[in-house]
Each structure stands twice: as C-alpha cells, then as structure tokens.
Amino acid sequence: MKEFLTTREDYHLLHPRQVIILVVGSFERANMMPLGWHTILSRNPFLVGLAISPKRFSHSMLMDFPFATINLVDKSFEELVENTGKCSGKNVDKFEQFHVNKVLAENGSAYIEGIPAYLEATRKGYFETGDHTLFVLEITKSVLKRPFCPLFQIAGDQYQQFLVE
Ligand SMILES: Cc1cc2nc3c(=O)[nH]c(=O)nc-3n(C[C@H](O)[C@H](O)[C@H](O)COP(=O)(O)O)c2cc1C
C-alpha cells in the first residue's frame, strides 16, 4: 500500500473535529471563540478538556473568570464560526459586531440566543501543553433546546454537517 508522508499540519489526520463556540467572560463582557480541539475527559464528574492557545483573548478571559458556556452549533452557525474565528475579542465586541444576542446563563456567563444546545462549565484546572493550554472544565448544566446535526471542521474553512438519521 502506498504511504504518504505528512509534514505541515499533520494534525489534520485527526480531523474532522466537532466545532463548538466557547463563550467566555461574564455576561456583560462575554466573548465568542470557535474551538475544535476539545474532548470528553470524565463522565462522572462530567469533565471536558479544551486546548486554547495563549494567543487567544479567550485564554486570558478564562484565566480571569472561571465560568463559561460551550455552545453546540449546526450548519446555520457556520458563518458565525468563520466570523468569530477571524477576529479577537480584545479589539471588538463580537456579539455586537455580528448582531448576535446573548442570554444570561445560570453561572453568570452567557450563551448564544438560538443555539440548539449548550453546556454551562466551570474551570477546574489547566496545564501547559506545548503551544496550547489544556483547560479542564466541569459541566454543571446541559441544555438541549432542539435536535440538531452537529457541524464538523474538515480543514481550514471546509465544514460538514453530521447527518443524524
Ligand atoms: C473552526 C475553528 C476551530 C478553532 N479551534 C481552535 C482551538 O481548538 N484552539 C484554539 O486555540 N484556537 C482555535 N481556533 C482559533 C480561534 O477561534 C481564533 O483565533 C479566534 O479569533 C480567537 O478569538 P479571541 O481572540 O477573541 O479569543 C479555531 C478557529 C476556527 C475557525
């Protein structure tokens, strides 16, 4: 069988990744960041790991304020994923900029209005892992508002919806 050596961006061999939009910060200062490098770490307690580069404004926000929401998106949120992934909350209020309404979450953070599902999360710890930080978050509340087909990132700006039969 033919073998191909991969060099740059070989992490794409571990794609596709389900895309989430992480909302960090208190309700007033909430910021959105699309994120593909995440994993379930534990069922009970329900723990999730998120790999966030220290270059992201969301990284410092999650260090400062330990509550966040994980927003589960379908294809109708693809444009928002692209837009929020191209700018930094350091310079812009992404909710205002992209005309998105936020809703107060029980933990004092915010979730995206119209989102099919979201998880409320509390930061439990973090570890430096190469050029990213692995944040461990405990899920304190899970809300499914409607059935949905999750959006996956294939690579770059290529996305595909996972069809649930
Ligand atoms: C689909 C997608 C997935 C991404 N996944 C990650 C990720 O897992 N970790 C990360 O640090 N950045 C990831 N990014 C990049 C950030 O979302 C992007 O740099 C964003 O603008 C950061 O915003 P902020 O500076 O407001 O935090 C991803 C971007 C996109 C579009």
Short mmCIF file of all heavy atoms in Angstrom, two decimals, residues 19-20 24 31-38 51-59 81-90 94 132 153 156 159, ligand 1:
data_model
loop_
_atom_site.label_atom_id
_atom_site.label_comp_id
_atom_site.label_asym_id
_atom_site.label_seq_id
_atom_site.Cartn_x
_atom_site.Cartn_y
_atom_site.Cartn_z
N VAL A 19 -17.18 21.27 15.85
CA VAL A 19 -16.94 22.68 16.20
C VAL A 19 -17.91 23.11 17.30
O VAL A 19 -19.11 22.84 17.25
CB VAL A 19 -17.17 23.60 14.97
CG1 VAL A 19 -16.88 25.04 15.33
CG2 VAL A 19 -16.29 23.15 13.81
N ILE A 20 -17.34 23.79 18.29
CA ILE A 20 -18.18 24.43 19.31
C ILE A 20 -17.85 25.92 19.30
O ILE A 20 -16.81 26.31 18.78
CB ILE A 20 -17.91 23.86 20.71
CG1 ILE A 20 -16.44 24.08 21.10
CG2 ILE A 20 -18.27 22.38 20.80
CD1 ILE A 20 -16.16 24.05 22.56
N VAL A 24 -16.81 32.90 26.75
CA VAL A 24 -16.06 33.14 27.99
C VAL A 24 -16.38 34.53 28.52
O VAL A 24 -16.83 35.41 27.78
CB VAL A 24 -14.53 33.02 27.78
CG1 VAL A 24 -14.11 31.59 27.58
CG2 VAL A 24 -14.08 33.89 26.62
N ASN A 31 -17.44 36.94 25.36
CA ASN A 31 -16.72 36.85 24.10
C ASN A 31 -16.90 35.45 23.51
O ASN A 31 -17.00 34.47 24.24
CB ASN A 31 -15.23 37.13 24.34
CG ASN A 31 -14.42 37.09 23.05
OD1 ASN A 31 -14.85 37.59 22.01
ND2 ASN A 31 -13.24 36.49 23.10
N MET A 32 -16.94 35.39 22.16
CA MET A 32 -17.14 34.09 21.48
C MET A 32 -15.88 33.66 20.76
O MET A 32 -15.25 34.46 20.08
CB MET A 32 -18.24 34.21 20.41
CG MET A 32 -19.61 34.47 20.94
SD MET A 32 -20.80 34.60 19.58
CE MET A 32 -20.65 36.33 19.15
N MET A 33 -15.56 32.36 20.89
CA MET A 33 -14.40 31.81 20.17
C MET A 33 -14.74 30.40 19.65
O MET A 33 -15.10 29.52 20.44
CB MET A 33 -13.22 31.70 21.15
CG MET A 33 -12.09 30.88 20.60
SD MET A 33 -10.85 30.47 21.84
CE MET A 33 -10.02 29.13 20.99
N PRO A 34 -14.66 30.18 18.33
CA PRO A 34 -14.87 28.82 17.83
C PRO A 34 -13.70 27.93 18.22
O PRO A 34 -12.56 28.39 18.27
CB PRO A 34 -14.95 28.99 16.31
CG PRO A 34 -14.29 30.29 16.02
CD PRO A 34 -14.39 31.14 17.24
N LEU A 35 -13.98 26.67 18.50
CA LEU A 35 -12.93 25.78 19.01
C LEU A 35 -13.20 24.35 18.54
O LEU A 35 -14.34 23.87 18.61
CB LEU A 35 -12.98 25.88 20.54
CG LEU A 35 -11.90 25.18 21.35
CD1 LEU A 35 -11.60 25.99 22.61
CD2 LEU A 35 -12.31 23.79 21.74
N GLY A 36 -12.14 23.72 18.02
CA GLY A 36 -12.28 22.35 17.53
C GLY A 36 -11.50 21.33 18.34
O GLY A 36 -11.77 20.13 18.27
N TRP A 37 -10.53 21.79 19.12
CA TRP A 37 -9.68 20.85 19.87
C TRP A 37 -10.24 20.70 21.28
O TRP A 37 -9.84 21.39 22.21
CB TRP A 37 -8.24 21.37 19.91
CG TRP A 37 -7.58 21.35 18.57
CD1 TRP A 37 -8.15 21.05 17.37
CD2 TRP A 37 -6.21 21.64 18.27
NE1 TRP A 37 -7.24 21.15 16.36
CE2 TRP A 37 -6.04 21.51 16.88
CE3 TRP A 37 -5.12 22.02 19.05
CZ2 TRP A 37 -4.81 21.74 16.25
CZ3 TRP A 37 -3.91 22.24 18.43
CH2 TRP A 37 -3.75 22.08 17.05
N HIS A 38 -11.17 19.76 21.39
CA HIS A 38 -11.80 19.50 22.70
C HIS A 38 -12.07 18.01 22.84
O HIS A 38 -12.12 17.29 21.84
CB HIS A 38 -13.10 20.30 22.84
CG HIS A 38 -14.12 20.02 21.76
ND1 HIS A 38 -14.97 18.95 21.81
CD2 HIS A 38 -14.37 20.65 20.58
CE1 HIS A 38 -15.73 18.94 20.73
NE2 HIS A 38 -15.38 19.96 19.96
N ALA A 51 -8.35 22.74 24.35
CA ALA A 51 -6.99 23.22 24.06
C ALA A 51 -7.09 24.63 23.49
O ALA A 51 -7.64 24.84 22.41
CB ALA A 51 -6.31 22.30 23.06
N ILE A 52 -6.56 25.60 24.25
CA ILE A 52 -6.66 27.01 23.83
C ILE A 52 -5.26 27.63 23.80
O ILE A 52 -4.52 27.56 24.79
CB ILE A 52 -7.57 27.81 24.78
CG1 ILE A 52 -8.96 27.14 24.88
CG2 ILE A 52 -7.71 29.26 24.32
CD1 ILE A 52 -9.93 27.85 25.81
N SER A 53 -4.94 28.24 22.68
CA SER A 53 -3.63 28.90 22.55
C SER A 53 -3.59 30.15 23.44
O SER A 53 -4.57 30.91 23.48
CB SER A 53 -3.41 29.28 21.09
OG SER A 53 -2.39 30.24 21.01
N PRO A 54 -2.45 30.40 24.10
CA PRO A 54 -2.33 31.62 24.90
C PRO A 54 -2.44 32.89 24.04
O PRO A 54 -2.61 33.98 24.57
CB PRO A 54 -0.92 31.52 25.51
CG PRO A 54 -0.55 30.09 25.39
CD PRO A 54 -1.27 29.54 24.20
N LYS A 55 -2.39 32.73 22.70
CA LYS A 55 -2.54 33.90 21.83
C LYS A 55 -3.98 34.41 21.79
O LYS A 55 -4.23 35.53 21.39
CB LYS A 55 -2.13 33.54 20.40
CG LYS A 55 -0.65 33.27 20.23
CD LYS A 55 -0.38 32.89 18.78
CE LYS A 55 1.07 32.51 18.57
NZ LYS A 55 1.25 31.73 17.33
N ARG A 56 -4.92 33.54 22.15
CA ARG A 56 -6.34 33.93 22.08
C ARG A 56 -6.70 34.81 23.26
O ARG A 56 -6.35 34.51 24.40
CB ARG A 56 -7.27 32.71 22.09
CG ARG A 56 -6.81 31.53 21.28
CD ARG A 56 -6.76 31.79 19.80
NE ARG A 56 -6.32 30.59 19.10
CZ ARG A 56 -5.44 30.58 18.12
NH1 ARG A 56 -4.91 31.71 17.68
NH2 ARG A 56 -5.11 29.45 17.53
N PHE A 57 -7.51 35.83 22.99
CA PHE A 57 -8.01 36.68 24.07
C PHE A 57 -8.84 35.83 25.05
O PHE A 57 -8.82 36.05 26.27
CB PHE A 57 -8.84 37.82 23.47
CG PHE A 57 -9.29 38.83 24.47
CD1 PHE A 57 -8.38 39.48 25.28
CD2 PHE A 57 -10.65 39.13 24.62
CE1 PHE A 57 -8.79 40.42 26.22
CE2 PHE A 57 -11.07 40.07 25.55
CZ PHE A 57 -10.14 40.71 26.36
N SER A 58 -9.55 34.84 24.50
CA SER A 58 -10.38 33.95 25.33
C SER A 58 -9.54 33.24 26.39
O SER A 58 -10.06 32.88 27.45
CB SER A 58 -11.07 32.90 24.45
OG SER A 58 -11.87 33.52 23.49
N HIS A 59 -8.27 33.01 26.09
CA HIS A 59 -7.38 32.34 27.05
C HIS A 59 -7.27 33.18 28.32
O HIS A 59 -7.49 32.68 29.44
CB HIS A 59 -6.00 32.16 26.39
CG HIS A 59 -5.04 31.35 27.18
ND1 HIS A 59 -4.38 31.82 28.29
CD2 HIS A 59 -4.60 30.08 27.01
CE1 HIS A 59 -3.59 30.89 28.78
NE2 HIS A 59 -3.70 29.81 28.02
N VAL A 81 -19.25 31.00 12.99
CA VAL A 81 -17.98 30.31 13.33
C VAL A 81 -16.84 30.98 12.58
O VAL A 81 -15.80 31.33 13.16
CB VAL A 81 -18.07 28.80 12.97
CG1 VAL A 81 -16.70 28.15 12.96
CG2 VAL A 81 -19.01 28.08 13.94
N GLU A 82 -17.03 31.19 11.27
CA GLU A 82 -15.97 31.80 10.47
C GLU A 82 -15.67 33.22 10.95
O GLU A 82 -14.52 33.60 11.13
CB GLU A 82 -16.37 31.81 8.99
CG GLU A 82 -16.25 30.43 8.39
CD GLU A 82 -16.71 30.38 6.93
OE1 GLU A 82 -17.40 31.32 6.48
OE2 GLU A 82 -16.39 29.40 6.28
N ASN A 83 -16.73 34.00 11.15
CA ASN A 83 -16.53 35.40 11.56
C ASN A 83 -15.85 35.52 12.91
O ASN A 83 -14.91 36.30 13.08
CB ASN A 83 -17.88 36.12 11.60
CG ASN A 83 -18.43 36.38 10.21
OD1 ASN A 83 -17.68 36.40 9.24
ND2 ASN A 83 -19.73 36.58 10.10
N THR A 84 -16.31 34.75 13.89
CA THR A 84 -15.76 34.89 15.25
C THR A 84 -14.35 34.30 15.34
O THR A 84 -13.61 34.63 16.27
CB THR A 84 -16.67 34.22 16.30
OG1 THR A 84 -16.93 32.87 15.90
CG2 THR A 84 -17.97 34.97 16.48
N GLY A 85 -13.98 33.47 14.35
CA GLY A 85 -12.64 32.88 14.34
C GLY A 85 -11.61 33.76 13.65
O GLY A 85 -10.43 33.46 13.66
N LYS A 86 -12.09 34.86 13.05
CA LYS A 86 -11.16 35.72 12.28
C LYS A 86 -10.80 37.00 13.01
O LYS A 86 -10.05 37.81 12.49
CB LYS A 86 -11.82 36.09 10.93
CG LYS A 86 -11.73 34.97 9.92
CD LYS A 86 -12.25 35.43 8.58
CE LYS A 86 -12.40 34.26 7.64
NZ LYS A 86 -13.62 34.32 6.85
N CYS A 87 -11.40 37.23 14.17
CA CYS A 87 -11.08 38.47 14.90
C CYS A 87 -10.95 38.16 16.38
O CYS A 87 -11.28 37.06 16.82
CB CYS A 87 -12.16 39.53 14.66
SG CYS A 87 -13.79 39.01 15.18
N SER A 88 -10.43 39.13 17.11
CA SER A 88 -10.20 38.91 18.54
C SER A 88 -11.12 39.79 19.38
O SER A 88 -11.31 40.97 19.08
CB SER A 88 -8.75 39.20 18.89
OG SER A 88 -8.60 39.07 20.30
N GLY A 89 -11.61 39.19 20.45
CA GLY A 89 -12.45 39.91 21.40
C GLY A 89 -11.68 41.01 22.12
O GLY A 89 -12.27 41.81 22.84
N LYS A 90 -10.37 41.01 21.93
CA LYS A 90 -9.56 42.07 22.53
C LYS A 90 -9.91 43.43 21.90
O LYS A 90 -9.87 44.46 22.55
CB LYS A 90 -8.08 41.76 22.30
CG LYS A 90 -7.15 42.60 23.11
CD LYS A 90 -5.74 42.09 23.03
CE LYS A 90 -4.88 42.92 23.97
NZ LYS A 90 -3.52 42.49 24.00
N LYS A 94 -17.76 40.90 19.85
CA LYS A 94 -18.22 40.05 18.74
C LYS A 94 -19.75 39.90 18.73
O LYS A 94 -20.34 39.69 17.67
CB LYS A 94 -17.55 38.68 18.79
CG LYS A 94 -16.04 38.72 18.64
CD LYS A 94 -15.44 37.33 18.48
CE LYS A 94 -13.95 37.33 18.76
NZ LYS A 94 -13.34 36.00 18.66
N HIS A 132 -0.35 25.14 23.27
CA HIS A 132 -1.72 25.37 23.75
C HIS A 132 -1.78 25.12 25.26
O HIS A 132 -0.86 24.52 25.82
CB HIS A 132 -2.71 24.47 23.02
CG HIS A 132 -3.09 24.97 21.66
ND1 HIS A 132 -2.15 25.23 20.68
CD2 HIS A 132 -4.30 25.29 21.10
CE1 HIS A 132 -2.78 25.68 19.58
NE2 HIS A 132 -4.07 25.72 19.82
N GLN A 153 -15.49 20.59 11.44
CA GLN A 153 -14.48 21.25 10.59
C GLN A 153 -13.64 20.15 9.96
O GLN A 153 -13.07 19.31 10.66
CB GLN A 153 -13.58 22.16 11.43
CG GLN A 153 -12.56 22.90 10.58
CD GLN A 153 -11.51 23.64 11.42
OE1 GLN A 153 -11.18 23.20 12.51
NE2 GLN A 153 -10.99 24.73 10.90
N GLY A 156 -9.27 23.95 7.54
CA GLY A 156 -9.40 25.35 7.13
C GLY A 156 -10.85 25.82 7.22
O GLY A 156 -11.49 25.68 8.26
N TYR A 159 -16.27 22.90 6.06
CA TYR A 159 -17.10 22.36 7.13
C TYR A 159 -18.09 21.35 6.58
O TYR A 159 -18.45 21.40 5.42
CB TYR A 159 -17.88 23.49 7.82
CG TYR A 159 -16.97 24.50 8.48
CD1 TYR A 159 -16.53 25.63 7.80
CD2 TYR A 159 -16.55 24.32 9.79
CE1 TYR A 159 -15.69 26.55 8.40
CE2 TYR A 159 -15.70 25.23 10.41
CZ TYR A 159 -15.28 26.34 9.70
OH TYR A 159 -14.45 27.24 10.30
C1 LIG B 1 -13.32 26.08 13.29
C2 LIG B 1 -12.27 26.70 14.18
C3 LIG B 1 -11.72 25.97 15.20
C4 LIG B 1 -10.74 26.53 16.04
N1 LIG B 1 -10.21 25.78 17.05
C5 LIG B 1 -9.34 26.34 17.91
C6 LIG B 1 -8.85 25.59 19.02
O1 LIG B 1 -9.22 24.44 19.25
N2 LIG B 1 -7.97 26.20 19.86
C7 LIG B 1 -7.52 27.49 19.66
O2 LIG B 1 -6.72 27.99 20.46
N3 LIG B 1 -7.98 28.22 18.61
C8 LIG B 1 -8.88 27.69 17.75
N4 LIG B 1 -9.38 28.43 16.70
C9 LIG B 1 -8.90 29.83 16.51
C10 LIG B 1 -9.69 30.85 17.35
O3 LIG B 1 -11.06 30.60 17.37
C11 LIG B 1 -9.44 32.27 16.78
O4 LIG B 1 -8.08 32.59 16.87
C12 LIG B 1 -10.30 33.35 17.44
O5 LIG B 1 -10.26 34.52 16.67
C13 LIG B 1 -9.86 33.66 18.87
O6 LIG B 1 -10.68 34.69 19.36
P1 LIG B 1 -10.35 35.53 20.68
O7 LIG B 1 -9.00 36.20 20.46
O8 LIG B 1 -11.47 36.50 20.78
O9 LIG B 1 -10.30 34.54 21.80
C14 LIG B 1 -10.34 27.87 15.84
C15 LIG B 1 -10.89 28.63 14.79
C16 LIG B 1 -11.85 28.05 13.97
C17 LIG B 1 -12.46 28.88 12.87
#
